[in-house]
Amino acid sequence: LGYNGDGQSSVPTNALRFVSVASGAGHSLAITENGGLVAWGRNDAGQRTIPAGASNSVLAVAGGDAHSLALLSSGSVLAWGDNSFGQCSVPQGLSGVQAIAAGRNHSLALRTNGAVVGWGFNTYGQASAPSLSNVVAIAAGYLHSMALLSNGTVVVWGDNTFGQANVPAG
């Protein structure tokens, strides 16, 4: 369904059953039931060329504009594809990760201690998370990022050109 100019909607039919999916601008990713990874669609920056270290240990995936992320069962993060803005340069020593998110050209990781780590394109501060604790979920948009706190509140940072960082009251 939808635009398929890069093959991003042509789901492979020869793969195992999928348990999780993610999409980038023109590519798609899926985790198979055995923890493997399948990718299809645009590959002009290598965003669907899965690194060898991602075999049978993937817990989560995320797709940016032309980069991809995988959270491994070890709590580490793999990144590949376009690295023009450092979006694939996972911070050295990053560990204890429980969730990932990919924006247009930035990446986020949620650590098990509730802290958010960001890297990549940061002109609007979208990769620089404010000092937060008790974060339970993260999301990355085109030029902004979000965190859901354990008390149910949402914190947004980065570009606010269209009001995307204005969390509604209540």
Side-chain angles (χ1 to χ4, degrees), residues 69 77 90-91 94 97-101 107-111 115-119 138:
L69 302 175
V77 176
V90 179
L94 180 64
V97 175
Q98 66 177 342
I100 52 174
S107 302
L108 299 175
L110 172 59
R111 299 188 67 208
V116 179
V117 177
W119 62 95
I138 54 174

Side-chain angles (χ1 to χ4, degrees), residues 11-16 38:
V11 180
T13 57
N14 60 345
L16 296 172
V38 177

